Amino acid sequence: MTDLPAVNDILQASQSLGLGASPAELHGGLCGWLAAGGADVPAWPAKVLADDGLPTPEPGSALDLLRQATVAQLEDRDFAFELVLVDAAEPLQARTDALFEWCRAFLGGFGLASGKRPALSEEGEEALQDLARLAQASSDEFDSADEDEDALSEIEEFVRVAALLLHGDCVMGSRHRQSLN
């Protein structure tokens, strides 16, 4: 299963559990958690949002499906990984804000799962630093010009590849090293 739930379904599920996080924040945090080697557990919001008091999503709910699809996408050798941001029809500023929220949440999830400094490749180190710069960025630098639309698409693609690279360093590389021993 690699299809992500709809953004509105994720938002409704988040609100019904009282999570107070946007779909972009939830997905970014989940991706960061998983990319750093965090456990694939049904109670992922408690781990990703660092609050053990949060409820576990119901099996088959949008948040449970989000976890399952994200795990499958990160493991997919065809690079089918997608970002959950906002609806594509939203204005440029909303889509840009969602991307930067995703990056901030990714870094939070990554830090929670990795604990101490993970062993990263040189490219992984650069990707993590670039994600940190994006997490500090603002949508105020974007307007509705076509070149900003293109820039946002390029940044989204970079973020997608950076997440896969970090997952490769921390999870896939670790598995490969273990299989060699």
Side-chain angles (χ1 to χ4, degrees):
M1 159 189 230
T2 59
D3 288 336
L4 294 164
V7 173
N8 283 337
D9 293 343
I10 298 167
L11 179 61
Q12 288 176 355
S14 173
Q15 291 171 341
S16 73
L17 289 182
L19 299 183
S22 72
E25 290 171 308
L26 287 171
H27 191 245
L30 175 61
C31 290
W33 172 264
L34 294 169
D40 171 17
V41 294
W44 69 267
K47 300 291 185 191
V48 168
L49 298 174
D51 183 349
D52 291 335
L54 292 176
T56 299
E58 292 291 323
S61 69
L63 294 179
D64 187 49
L65 296 174
L66 177 65
R67 174 187 57 83
Q68 292 175 39
T70 300
V71 168
Q73 285 187 359
L74 285 170
E75 300 280 333
D76 188 322
R77 294 195 183 271
D78 292 329
F79 304 105
F81 177 67
E82 299 173 51
L83 306 179
V84 172
L85 300 172
V86 293
D87 190 88
E90 291 290 325
L92 178 67
Q93 185 170 2
R95 290 181 284 129
T96 304
D97 285 338
L99 179 62
F100 296 152
E101 280 180 7
W102 193 99
C103 292
R104 283 189 289 277
F106 180 93
L107 293 173
F110 192 87
L112 286 170
S114 67
K116 60 182 181 174
R117 192 90 177 136
L120 299 175
S121 65
E122 187 176 321
E123 294 86 4
E125 287 284 347
E126 288 177 25
L128 195 59
Q129 290 170 5
D130 289 341
L131 287 172
R133 280 191 279 281
L134 287 171
Q136 296 172 359
S138 167
S139 65
D140 296 340
E141 300 165 22
F142 286 77
D143 60 31
S144 60
D146 287 342
E147 56 208 35
D148 285 343
E149 287 283 348
D150 293 342
L152 181 60
S153 292
E154 288 178 23
I155 294 169
E156 283 180 28
E157 180 62 13
F158 169 79
V159 169
R160 192 182 76 76
V161 171
L164 288 170
L165 174 65
L166 290 165
H167 181 261
D169 277 4
C170 295
V171 176
M172 305 304 270
S174 168
R175 285 185 200 156
H176 180 68
R177 286 189 294 279
Q178 287 175 356
S179 68
L180 293 176
N181 293 334

